[in-house]
Amino acid sequence: MPSSDKDKKRIMVTGGAGFLGSHLVDRLLDDGHDVMCVDNMFTGSRRNIAHLRDHPGFEFIRHDISQPLHVEADQIYNLACPASPVHYQFDPVQTTKTSVLGAINTLGLAKRLRCRILQASTSEVYGDPEVHPQPESYPGRVNPIGPRSCYDEGKRCAETLFFDYRRQHGLPIKVARIFNTYGPRMHPNDGRVVSNFVVQALEGRPITIYGDGSQTRSFCYVSDLIDGLVRLMEAPDETTGPINLGNPAEMTIADLAKLIVEMAGSPSSIEFAPLPEDDPRQRQPDIRLAKERLDWQPRVGLEDGLASTIDYFRALRA
Ligand code: NAD
Ligand code: UDP
Ligand code: UDP
């Protein structure tokens, strides 16, 4: 809660009707702020924000952030961008526009307002890494012309723009590199591994493992991630990031499949499908910087997080 009206802010969240954005909006409203959710509803869902319709502090603006936007705010969180490979590859040119023009427009807005702005960047800036786990100092290994490039290079260019607005215009910027995050309100058809496996397990359909399942990811529960984003925004100006936010508990995709089948009590079998091009072999965040600068580390274990996620998807089907 803000301790007084003086601490109450008007906060703009782009991508606020999406998975992470809607949880962030909830958290900021709970903290007593007013929130303006800006979203073009490409992958966002009305269901994610339906409970806020009558909230006096909540406002929704339907807008594509690759176009300029003139509003007033005290802080900006820029989350607008499809995050699942299936969605960001659907219209790759628009994905780059969303990342790059969206960064330019939100930075231009922040420059006019002289306000803090946080970018939701991604572990994808590391590409298919040969350094493991990945520290923020690792510059990455990204293919500029592959099917994932619209997302990876768009996000990399957005980071460049954030740091140039800081160097050139003294803007108070924050860049979070988010690693795989899961939880309630993931889109059931968005193709990401946790939502795919949970939905397949609940429907008793085969679990689709791409490749042989030996590739690894590290999964962070949504409430932990949101807490990290807010801590970064509230940290002193010199804490700009880039800063990794994610859960270092790494596992293979095959082990994730087994765990979800078991937890959902599902009869599903396992089915293997080809590994998508440029699919990173391994991924684990080095979160020493977040521990040191933000006093942050994930608290929710995978089994607890998966239990809430399975409950959410079960309720959706009911
Ligand atoms: P999501 O697809 O659920 O949400 C993205 C939101 O942005 C949607 O509501 C969508 O409608 C909106 N959007 C897309 N293009 C837009 C545009 N041009 N103008 C306005 N709104 C637009 O994805 P998410 O998982 O909530 O991801 C949110 C942010 O976090 C993204 O920027 C993503 O790159 C980043 N991120 C997420 C993860 C993760 O594991 N969830 C990992 C790394 C980075
Ligand atoms: N912009 C915006 N809202 C604002 C201020 C700027 O959408 O309140 C957009 C503006 O249209 C421009 C971009 O942000 O395309 C970058 O603005 P900046 O002032 O940095 O650059 P310039 O206007 O000089 O190109
Ligand atoms: N994956 C899988 N089956 C699925 C969806 C994804 O085996 O149904 C794999 C995918 O190939 C990748 C990992 O799970 O190796 C994580 O995929 P996701 O799309 O969730 O995220 P990202 O690749 O962006 O980390």
Side-chain angles (χ1 to χ4, degrees):
M1 273 285 161
S3 45
S4 68
D5 268 3
K6 173 169 85 39
D7 298 323
K8 179 172 173 154
K9 296 189 182 71
R10 184 163 191 217
I11 304 180
M12 174 167 129
V13 178
T14 76
F19 162 49
L20 295 183
S22 63
H23 285 281
L24 177 62
V25 168
D26 281 347
R27 162 70 190 267
L28 297 171
L29 289 169
D30 281 351
D31 286 351
H33 301 295
D34 287 342
V35 178
M36 197 187 336
C37 164
V38 175
D39 203 298
N40 70 349
M41 303 310 271
F42 175 50
T43 51
S45 154
R46 291 199 175 282
R47 189 171 50 223
N48 291 344
I49 49 171
H51 59 291
L52 301 174
R53 206 179 40 204
D54 298 325
H55 193 299
F58 179 72
E59 188 183 352
F60 177 75
I61 299 175
R62 188 172 188 134
H63 179 79
D64 179 336
I65 58 146
S66 61
Q67 304 295 326
L69 175 63
H70 293 268
V71 292
E72 310 306 313
D74 304 311
Q75 273 183 356
I76 302 170
Y77 286 85
N78 186 33
L79 273 67
C81 187
S84 113
V86 173
H87 285 151
Y88 71 63
Q89 290 171 23
F90 174 75
D91 184 350
V93 173
Q94 178 58 34
T95 299
T96 302
K97 285 185 186 172
T98 293
S99 278
V100 177
L101 299 177
I104 291 175
N105 289 325
T106 49
L107 285 162
L109 180 60
K111 183 181 130 201
R112 175 172 65 77
L113 301 171
R114 304 303 311 166
C115 74
R116 278 191 184 178
I117 176 166
L118 181 147
Q119 167 69 356
S121 190
T122 168
S123 53
E124 294 283 332
V125 300
Y126 301 124
D128 191 5
E130 38 329 42
V131 170
H132 195 73
Q134 294 82 54
E136 291 82 353
S137 56
Y138 176 55
R141 186 166 73 122
V142 175
N143 175 3
I145 57 166
R148 293 175 86 101
S149 310
C150 57
Y151 184 73
D152 300 9
E153 297 289 16
K155 289 284 188 179
R156 286 170 68 92
C157 184
E159 287 201 10
T160 308
L161 285 160
F162 268 67
F163 279 87
D164 281 336
Y165 269 77
R166 177 176 162 84
R167 281 186 285 261
Q168 212 171 318
H169 302 298
L171 208 63
I173 60 143
K174 310 275 181 181
V175 174
R177 289 187 180 153
I178 302 170
F179 283 64
N180 297 64
T181 302
Y182 70 98
R185 301 190 192 154
M186 292 184 90
H187 198 295
N189 302 322
D190 86 356
R192 280 184 273 190
V193 68
V194 173
S195 43
N196 264 15
F197 286 2
V198 170
V199 171
Q200 289 163 345
L202 292 177
E203 291 177 357
R205 288 189 286 122
I207 307 290
T208 52
I209 293 185
Y210 303 158
D212 62 4
S214 63
Q215 72 271 35
T216 69
R217 294 293 187 273
S218 309
F219 296 99
C220 184
Y221 189 63
V222 59
S223 58
D224 282 333
L225 195 276
I226 299 303
D227 188 47
L229 290 181
V230 173
R231 280 174 191 248
L232 174 58
M233 181 63 107
E234 296 307 325
D237 277 353
E238 58 271 22
T239 304
T240 56
I243 197 157
N244 290 339
L245 294 177
N247 192 324
E250 181 183 0
M251 70 190 307
T252 65
I253 295 303
D255 284 343
L256 177 73
K258 271 188 236 141
L259 181 61
I260 290 177
V261 167
E262 189 186 302
M263 287 185 66
S266 168
S268 290
S269 57
I270 303 277
E271 191 175 271
F272 292 91
L275 190 68
E277 193 180 331
D278 290 338
D279 199 277
R281 286 289 317 149
Q282 53 181 4
R283 186 180 290 153
Q284 184 196 36
D286 176 336
I287 60 164
R288 280 176 296 180
L289 195 61
K291 279 185 181 158
E292 183 192 307
R293 294 293 181 86
L294 309 178
D295 190 22
W296 176 87
Q297 62 181 324
R299 304 196 177 282
V300 181
L302 186 62
E303 297 212 3
D304 288 341
L306 282 179
S308 309
T309 310
I310 292 169
D311 285 349
Y312 170 79
F313 282 109
R314 206 173 253 139
L316 266 192
R317 286 166 40 78

